[in-house]
Amino acid sequence: MSAPALLDRSITDLAGALSRREVSSEEVTRAALARIEATDERLHAFLRVVPERAIASARGSDARRARGEVRSPLDGIPIGLKDIFLTKGVETTCGSRILAGFVPPFDATVVERLETSGAVVMGKLNMDEFAMGSSNENSAFGPCRNPWDLERTPGGSSGGSAASVAARQVFGALGTDTGGSIRQPASLCGVVGLKPTYGRVSRYGVVAFASSLDQVGPIARTVTDAAAMLGVIAGHDPRDQTSSLLPVPDYRAGIEEGARGLRIGVPREWLQGGSEAGVERRVREALAAYEAMGATLVDVELPHSRYGVAAYYLVAPAEASSNLARYDGVRFGLRAPARSLADMYGETRDQGFGAEPKRRIMLGTYALSAGYYDAYYLRAQKVRTLVRRDFDRAFERCDLVAGPVSPTVAFRLGEKVDDPLQMYLADVFTISCNLAALPGLSVPAGLHPESRLPVGLQLVGRPFDEATLLRAARALEREMGPSPAPEAIG
Amino acid sequence: MALSPEEVRRIASLARLRLSPEEETRLAGELSAILDYVRQLEELDVSGVEPMTHALASVETPFREDRVTPGLPADEALANAPARAGTCFQVPRIIE
């Protein structure tokens, strides 16, 4: 069956229909639950669905609306959560066996904000273990698939989030992005994904991977929907000291202003044949469309971006090796039976972690160990400064930078699984944005001319200037018309 | 740069990971390949470059009031414990 028309609507359209009482939140939520039931055996986007909780919040939303109370543009709208967000009373595994059975005693701040805004939480979405991966194949619970072609990956690590939104199971989802984990799956699934500026959204209650890079953001089917979601989750949180005090603007306010007058930087390093031809073609067409809409294209240089993957694969594993030290079998999660404490640590971590977290813990431990710190971690942190300076210099001449998100369209399951380095290179265009702490967005730029799989355009902006990214993305979306729905899932 | 199996074992013990001999062999190869790749950072002159220790150093660090707020009740904090004894987490004996 194909998705009912109701589920094909955007958050913004649906909010209108709800306010006109054309449909109730309970009806929408039941339709979404039925859609998940009908499709998820094949898609495997969800690790856990919470139907009772969803129906209860939908009824709460309908009751409020009957009294004339509407809390936000998300009130009554079914939303999914990557399984990295702690949900009070609902198992949270982060895609890892070591957290199987873990039921958090509190909600992440972003979950609290979503529920306070009236959003209907539908469940927890599949992901690469501890957000480490670019294909969802590192999930300890089996990979999610791409709704455009079930033999292909949805990307990662927020693959379940992007696949579920694309397959019309939910209207929007939250993901996290440490090196591209929102933008790359959004690109591969043909939806919109936004990684906000580091510090824009609270990480309290979000399982930590690499703390100087991790950021929470929305995945949605339209740019305006992503803006609405960001408006709900952004802002300072006293429980996350890295979250910024800067005020949160109305991200939907200037979103229709169009591309006229925008200066779009085109980094030559991002369009030098590093992508497959069909991807590069769609990216160039999107740039031409901007020019036709009255934007100016400016050549810029990001000479250090080619060192991004190398710097990232020192910084992120180093921080991960420290963050993942807490999984030791003492306070929560898996504990392997053992006679001594040292055996318990070793056995628990051996049985609980999959191959990728082990690889990164090993790499990070090595990079931080005595005698190697200066040569690896410290040098990589200095390279981050160089990457950031490139962007600062570019932003003297342009308002945002544009290029590909992923060098390829969705690849086949199993294609890169035996070669970690090849998998890491899937993030070659997305990583420098995280290293430089800047906001980045993926917006659909059409389908690959041969494979008919989605291609995303990446936009990177100045710190805390998500509004310009959203405005530019909306201009392209309007120009291209609504993105088609994937057909493989029915 | 090739990591020896001994070095892999040493790192694994620092990281409290118990690896099988097959994992050790595989990781020695994979980590060596990754370390070879990251060596390209040596091409860059980073002398005089400040490391990025905070993602946005220009933005003011938020402070909060130093006020006592309730923490997690002990029973809730212990609810996920693999083993507990009263209000403590229980672990295998440390001192023989």
Side-chain angles (χ1 to χ4, degrees):
Chain A
M1 77 166 208
S2 67
L6 183 60
L7 298 179
D8 201 36
R9 305 180 81 151
S10 69
I11 291 176
T12 318
D13 284 349
L14 185 59
L18 287 166
S19 70
R20 291 188 300 272
R21 310 289 174 81
E22 291 164 18
V23 67
S24 71
S25 172
E26 184 172 344
E27 287 170 295
V28 177
T29 302
R30 287 190 186 280
L33 287 168
R35 173 79 179 155
I36 295 168
E37 178 78 33
T39 53
D40 213 49
E41 206 168 301
R42 286 169 293 145
L43 195 62
H44 199 34
F46 274 89
L47 294 178
R48 231 155 289 106
V49 186
V50 290
E52 291 86 10
R53 183 168 164 153
I55 297 288
S57 18
R59 285 181 177 158
S61 172
D62 288 334
R64 281 195 301 277
R65 208 175 285 274
R67 297 195 303 267
E69 183 195 340
V70 180
R71 291 184 175 171
S72 82
L74 304 186
D75 203 338
I77 312 269
I79 299 289
L81 298 171
K82 185 179 185 178
D83 203 27
I84 199 167
F85 300 105
L86 300 198
T87 39
K88 186 173 182 173
V90 177
E91 185 186 10
T92 300
T93 66
C94 211
S96 181
R97 230 168 261 300
I98 211 161
L99 276 175
F102 172 62
V103 180
F106 59 91
D107 279 321
T109 295
V110 288
V111 174
E112 212 173 78
R113 286 194 182 182
L114 277 181
E115 293 202 306
T116 306
S117 76
V120 174
V121 169
M122 301 294 283
K124 309 300 289 290
L125 293 158
N126 206 348
M127 58 182 288
D128 286 295
E129 184 173 3
F130 286 107
M132 299 171 178
S134 308
S135 70
N136 232 273
E137 290 163 292
N138 294 335
S139 168
F141 307 104
C144 174
R145 289 162 182 271
N146 192 311
W148 290 83
D149 177 346
L150 297 172
E151 297 310 310
R152 290 175 191 264
T153 98
S157 68
S158 311
S161 300
S164 183
V165 171
R168 275 67 179 159
Q169 294 179 331
V170 292
F171 292 83
L174 290 190
T176 57
D177 189 315
T178 304
S181 283
I182 288 174
R183 289 159 289 156
Q184 186 253 16
S187 174
L188 270 43
C189 291
V191 292
V192 178
L194 170 62
K195 180 204 94 76
T197 311
Y198 184 85
R200 182 68 294 182
V201 180
S202 164
R203 285 108 42 93
Y204 178 77
V206 184
V207 177
F209 162 16
S211 301
S212 73
L213 301 162
D214 298 342
Q215 187 56 201
V216 177
I219 295 179
R221 287 197 296 267
T222 73
V223 177
T224 309
D225 289 357
M229 292 178 72
L230 180 62
V232 165
I233 60 171
H236 179 63
D237 174 11
R239 294 173 294 189
D240 177 1
Q241 187 262 340
T242 63
S243 69
S244 168
L245 291 164
L246 289 177
V248 178
D250 178 354
Y251 291 110
R252 293 183 299 167
I255 206 165
E256 299 292 345
E257 277 173 27
R260 180 164 302 281
L262 284 178
R263 296 168 305 161
I264 300 178
V266 182
R268 72 179 53 171
E269 295 81 2
W270 288 5
L271 286 171
Q272 274 176 338
S275 311
E276 60 178 313
V279 168
E280 196 154 317
R281 179 165 148 198
R282 289 295 179 242
V283 169
R284 287 186 188 279
E285 285 169 0
L287 295 173
Y290 276 119
E291 218 169 7
M293 288 186 272
T296 313
L297 301 184
V298 184
D299 283 325
V300 297
E301 288 180 7
L302 299 174
H304 296 96
S305 66
R306 59 178 281 239
Y307 297 99
V309 174
Y312 178 88
Y313 277 96
L314 290 169
V315 173
E319 295 180 6
S321 72
S322 167
N323 275 324
L324 270 55
R326 75 192 66 181
Y327 306 103
D328 58 6
V330 174
R331 292 162 303 158
F332 47 77
L334 179 77
R335 174 187 291 192
R339 299 178 69 101
S340 76
L341 190 67
D343 285 349
M344 185 190 93
Y345 291 154
E347 288 296 331
T348 298
R349 289 163 67 79
D350 179 44
Q351 292 174 24
F353 288 132
E356 188 60 32
K358 281 183 188 171
R359 194 177 293 131
R360 300 211 196 178
I361 289 170
M362 290 289 288
L363 186 58
T365 304
Y366 179 77
L368 290 177
S369 63
Y372 295 106
Y373 176 85
D374 284 2
Y376 290 116
Y377 187 73
L378 188 64
R379 176 171 281 268
Q381 291 287 69
K382 290 179 178 177
V383 173
R384 279 182 80 172
T385 303
L386 298 177
V387 170
R388 174 59 184 270
R389 281 185 194 162
D390 287 353
F391 278 105
D392 289 345
R393 212 164 292 136
F395 289 137
E396 287 168 10
R397 300 173 52 229
C398 63
D399 304 305
L400 69 161
V401 156
V405 177
S406 160
T408 66
V409 292
F411 43 94
R412 288 180 194 284
L413 290 162
E415 193 176 317
K416 300 186 183 187
V417 81
D418 294 324
D419 188 345
L421 201 51
Q422 277 313 306
M423 191 70 95
Y424 296 173
L425 290 169
D427 297 333
V428 63
F429 296 124
T430 47
I431 269 174
S432 38
C433 169
N434 301 79
L435 292 174
L438 300 171
L441 180 151
S442 173
V443 59
L447 303 180
H448 186 280
E450 287 97 45
S451 64
R452 308 307 291 165
L453 291 166
V455 174
L457 177 77
Q458 179 172 224
L459 304 173
V460 178
R462 297 193 179 103
F464 296 98
D465 193 15
E466 285 80 5
T468 298
L469 297 186
L470 290 161
R471 171 188 160 195
R474 173 64 190 135
L476 184 69
E477 177 185 68
R478 208 166 46 197
E479 187 69 15
M480 308 221 12
S483 317
E487 283 169 5
I489 195 71
Chain B
M1 183 177 151
L3 280 186
S4 65
E6 292 70 39
E7 205 149 14
V8 170
R9 264 195 295 279
R10 185 184 66 87
I11 305 162
S13 113
L14 287 173
R16 301 289 183 272
L17 282 174
R18 184 146 306 166
L19 303 176
S20 65
E22 297 76 43
E23 280 179 308
E24 282 173 9
T25 314
R26 189 170 44 77
L27 277 165
E30 288 171 353
L31 295 178
S32 301
I34 297 167
L35 289 171
D36 276 340
Y37 178 79
V38 303
R39 275 179 79 107
Q40 60 180 287
L41 296 186
E42 291 171 15
E43 295 165 15
L44 292 169
D45 179 8
V46 293
S47 53
V49 178
E50 284 294 309
M52 203 156 152
T53 49
H54 192 288
L56 277 187
S58 59
V59 174
E60 165 194 6
T61 302
F63 284 91
R64 60 168 170 78
E65 291 292 308
D66 185 14
R67 201 180 292 143
V68 178
T69 54
L72 210 52
D75 267 335
E76 284 181 41
L78 284 156
N80 282 287
R84 63 181 281 190
T87 54
C88 296
F89 295 100
Q90 196 172 34
V91 294
R93 66 185 300 146
I94 298 169
I95 302 161
E96 293 299 323

